C-alpha cells in the first residue's frame, strides 16, 4: 500500500460463518485438539465444507486417541458458529476424516536431534506489519471492516434484539480516504449478511447503519448512497450451502487487508513448527514492537526460511521513510539478536505450543487483544519496547 499522498484504499473482511472461515475454524479445532493432548504434536489439517458435508484431509503426528474425537469436535465447532440450517447443520452434516501420518521425509528435516537444532517445516517468506493508523497498530480499513463483523456477531450470538433474524455468513468492506498518507474519513461501506427468509432489507439496513455509526470515528460516516447493504437484495442461502469453503483461502483478511505484502502461506490448521504460521506471528510481533517503541510510524518485516534449516535466511526491515533516522539494516540485525528467530526459538518466546488457535480462525490473526484465560495472541505483546530503544541507543 502506498503510504504517502492522497488516495482511497479498501479492505474487506468476512465473518466466522463465511464458508472459508468455517473451514479454518474446523482446521484449527483439529490443531488445538492435538496440541492439548501433546504440545509437540504435528498437524497440517485442510478442511473442505459444502452442502451438509465436511471433509478433513492432511497429515498429523500425535496421540492416536485424539483421532476418535475429531468428528464430534468438528460438529461442535459448526454448532458454535451457529449453523443449523437445512443446507448446513451441525446435526446433519456428514463429516469424514482422511487425515493420515506425517511424511517421514518432512519429519526428518524438522525434528531436532543430538547433532542439530529443529529445522523449519517448510521454505518460504513471511511478512509482518504495523502502522500507527489505529491504536492496535493495524491498518484502519481492515480494522473497521473486522470490527463491524464482530459487532454483528455479538448481536447475533448474545441475544440482542438487533441480531434477531441475522445468520452466520457475512462480509464487509470499508473504503477510506487518505490525505498525506493518513486516513481522514470513509467514502463507502459494503455489508452483506445472511438472514432468515422474509426479513425486511430496510430493517437490516437500519440495524447495520447503527452498527457502523457506533464503530467509525466521529465525522467519518459515509454518504447514504455509498452505504451498500445486501446489494443483491436477498441473502438467505449462505454459508457452505451457498458456496464451498476451503482452509486458507482468506490470507489477506487474516493479515493486513492488502496494506502490506504477503508471503502466500495460510495459517489455520498448521502447528507452529510450520513457519508459514509461527514466523508470520514473529514478524508481526517484531514490527509492532518497532512501532510501539516510537522508532517508526510504519514497519514492514520480512523473514525467510529453508526447510530443515533452523536459522532465518534473511531479516529485512522497511520503515517506509518514517524511521526517524533509524538504520534499517542495523535494526534488522538487532531484531535477530533480541529474539531467537529459529522455529524453536519463536515457539518458545511466544509460547505457541498450546491449544490457542481456534480464536484466531476468524476476524484476523493480528490486532487482537489477548484473552486473559487462554493467554493467547502473545505476538501482540509490546514487551520489547525498552529493549529495542536501549539497543539502538548503544
Amino acid at each position: 500500500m502506498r503510504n504517502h499522498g492522497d488516495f482511497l484504499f479498501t479492505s474487506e473482511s468476512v465473518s466466522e460463518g463465511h464458508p472459508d472461515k468455517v473451514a479454518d475454524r474446523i482446521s484449527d479445532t483439529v490443531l488445538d485438539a492435538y496440541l492439548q493432548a501433546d504440545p509437540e504434536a504435528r498437524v497440517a489439517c485442510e478442511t473442505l465444507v459444502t452442502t451438509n458435508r465436511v471433509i478433513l484431509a492432511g497429515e498429523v503426528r500425535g496421540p492416536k486417541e485424539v483421532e476418535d474425537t475429531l468428528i464430534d469436535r468438528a460438529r461442535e465447532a459448526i454448532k458454535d458458529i451457529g449453523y443449523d440450517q437445512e443446507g448446513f447443520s451441525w446435526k446433519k452434516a456428514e463429516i469424514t476424516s482422511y487425515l493420515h501420518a506425517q511424511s517421514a521425509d518432512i519429519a526428518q528435516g524438522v525434528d531436532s536431534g543430538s547433532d542439530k537444532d529443529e529445522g523449519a517445516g517448510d521454505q518460504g517468506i513471511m511478512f509482518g506489519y504495523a502502522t500507527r493508523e489505529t491504536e492496535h497498530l493495524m491498518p484502519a480499513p481492515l480494522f473497521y471492516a473486522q470490527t463491524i463483523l464482530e459487532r454483528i456477531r455479538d448481536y447475533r450470538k448474545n441475544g440482542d434484539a438487533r441480531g434477531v433474524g441475522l445468520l452466520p455468513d457475512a462480509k464487509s468492506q470499508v473504503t477510506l480516504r487518505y490525505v498525506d498518507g493518513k486516513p481522514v474519513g470513509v467514502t463507502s461501506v459494503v455489508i452483506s449478511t445472511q438472514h432468515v427468509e422474509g426479513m425486511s432489507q430496510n430493517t437490516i439496513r437500519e440495524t447495520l447503519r447503527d452498527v457502523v455509526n457506533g464503530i467509525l470515528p466521529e465525522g467519518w460516516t459515509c454518504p447514504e448512497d455509498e452505504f451498500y447493504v445486501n446489494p443483491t437484495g436477498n441473502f438467505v442461502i449462505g454459508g457452505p450451502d451457498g458456496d464451498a469453503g476451503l482452509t486458507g483461502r482468506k490470507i489477506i483478511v487474516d493479515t493486513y487487508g492488502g496494506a502490506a505484502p504477503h508471503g502466500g502461506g495460510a495459517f489455520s490448521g498448521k502447528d507452529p513448527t510450520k513457519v508459514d504460521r509461527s514466523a508470520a506471528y514473529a514478524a508481526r510481533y517484531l514490527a509492532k514492537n518497532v512501532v510501539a517503541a516510537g522508532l517508526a510510524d510504519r514497519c514492514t518485516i520480512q523473514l525467510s526460511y529453508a526447510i530443515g534449516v533452523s536459522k532465518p535466511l534473511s531479516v529485512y526491515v522497511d520503515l517506509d521513510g518514517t524511521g526517524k533516522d533509524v538504520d534499517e539494516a542495523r535494526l534488522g540485525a538487532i531484531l535477530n539478536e533480541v529474539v531467537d528467530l529459529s522455529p524453536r526459538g519463536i515457539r518458545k518466546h511466544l509460547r505457541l505450543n498450546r491449544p490457542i488457535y481456534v480464536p484466531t480462525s476468524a476476524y484476523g490473526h493480528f490486532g487482537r487483544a489477548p484473552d486473559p484465560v487462554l493467554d493467547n495472541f502473545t505476538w501482540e505483546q509490546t514487551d520489547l519496547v525498552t529493549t529495542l530503544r536501549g539497543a539502538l541507543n548503544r
Side-chain angles (χ1 to χ4, degrees), residues 300-359:
T300 301
I301 290 178
Q302 184 204 62
L303 305 176
S304 69
Y305 292 84
I307 188 168
V309 179
S310 63
K311 67 178 182 178
L313 304 185
S314 63
V315 179
Y316 167 79
V317 178
D318 180 4
L319 303 180
D320 194 34
T322 69
K324 302 175 179 62
D325 299 322
V326 174
D327 183 291
E328 292 165 331
R330 181 174 175 232
L331 178 57
I334 290 172
L335 294 173
N336 203 13
E337 291 174 3
V338 299
V339 176
D340 179 355
L341 293 175
S342 68
R344 181 194 297 276
I346 293 171
R347 293 196 349 253
K348 183 177 180 181
H349 190 98
L350 297 178
R351 308 192 308 282
L352 297 181
N353 280 92
R354 298 176 296 132
I356 58 174
Y357 295 102
V358 162

Side-chain angles (χ1 to χ4, degrees), residues 86-157:
E86 184 64 30
F88 193 70
S89 169
W90 67 274
K91 299 173 184 174
K92 301 177 183 178
E94 180 181 339
I95 305 175
T96 308
S97 175
Y98 295 99
L99 291 163
H100 58 82
Q102 183 189 46
S103 162
D105 289 343
I106 294 176
Q108 71 178 353
V110 176
D111 290 345
S112 59
S114 59
D115 60 343
K116 72 180 184 77
D117 193 7
E118 175 185 286
D122 202 352
Q123 71 175 47
I125 57 175
M126 300 84 206
F127 288 91
Y129 181 68
T131 173
R132 289 197 185 283
E133 289 182 13
T134 66
E135 63 178 337
H136 302 280
L137 304 186
M138 287 290 288
L142 179 64
F143 172 77
Y144 293 121
Q146 289 176 336
T147 304
I148 288 167
L149 293 180
E150 288 182 284
R151 187 70 53 85
I152 295 170
R153 173 208 59 192
D154 292 343
Y155 286 168
R156 180 175 60 84
K157 298 181 80 169

Side-chain angles (χ1 to χ4, degrees), residues 79 92 151 159 177 192 222 256 262 306 310 331 376:
K79 180 181 180 181
K92 301 177 183 178
R151 187 70 53 85
R177 179 181 300 280
S192 297
C222 72
Y256 306 104
H262 196 295
S310 63
L331 178 57
N376 56 4

Side-chain angles (χ1 to χ4, degrees), residues 150-342:
E150 288 182 284
R151 187 70 53 85
I152 295 170
R153 173 208 59 192
D154 292 343
Y155 286 168
R156 180 175 60 84
K157 298 181 80 169
N158 295 343
D160 192 293
R162 290 167 289 190
V164 174
L166 300 183
L167 297 175
D169 194 0
K171 303 177 74 171
S172 65
Q173 185 171 286
V174 175
T175 301
L176 297 189
R177 179 181 300 280
Y178 284 72
V179 175
D180 293 332
K182 297 180 180 180
V184 298
V186 177
T187 62
S188 67
V189 174
V190 183
I191 308 174
S192 297
T193 182
Q194 188 187 13
H195 57 86
V196 297
E197 183 73 65
M199 190 173 183
S200 164
Q201 294 299 320
N202 286 334
T203 299
I204 298 172
R205 183 183 181 87
E206 289 308 308
T207 296
L208 298 187
R209 170 58 90 179
D210 288 342
V211 169
V212 172
N213 288 345
I215 289 171
L216 295 178
E218 186 175 354
W220 279 32
T221 303
C222 72
E224 192 63 26
D225 61 354
E226 293 294 332
F227 181 54
Y228 304 95
V229 174
N230 287 351
T232 63
N234 210 40
F235 189 3
V236 173
I237 301 173
D241 187 30
D243 191 11
L246 293 169
T247 301
R249 287 206 298 194
K250 287 294 176 283
I251 60 176
I252 301 302
V253 168
D254 282 345
T255 53
Y256 306 104
H262 196 295
F267 301 154
S268 289
K270 296 178 180 178
D271 75 76
T273 66
K274 280 74 172 174
V275 284
D276 274 347
R277 184 169 213 159
S278 56
Y281 289 177
R284 161 63 179 177
Y285 173 64
L286 296 177
K288 184 174 184 181
N289 274 271
V290 167
V291 174
L295 306 180
D297 292 332
R298 289 182 291 275
C299 179
T300 301
I301 290 178
Q302 184 204 62
L303 305 176
S304 69
Y305 292 84
I307 188 168
V309 179
S310 63
K311 67 178 182 178
L313 304 185
S314 63
V315 179
Y316 167 79
V317 178
D318 180 4
L319 303 180
D320 194 34
T322 69
K324 302 175 179 62
D325 299 322
V326 174
D327 183 291
E328 292 165 331
R330 181 174 175 232
L331 178 57
I334 290 172
L335 294 173
N336 203 13
E337 291 174 3
V338 299
V339 176
D340 179 355
L341 293 175
S342 68

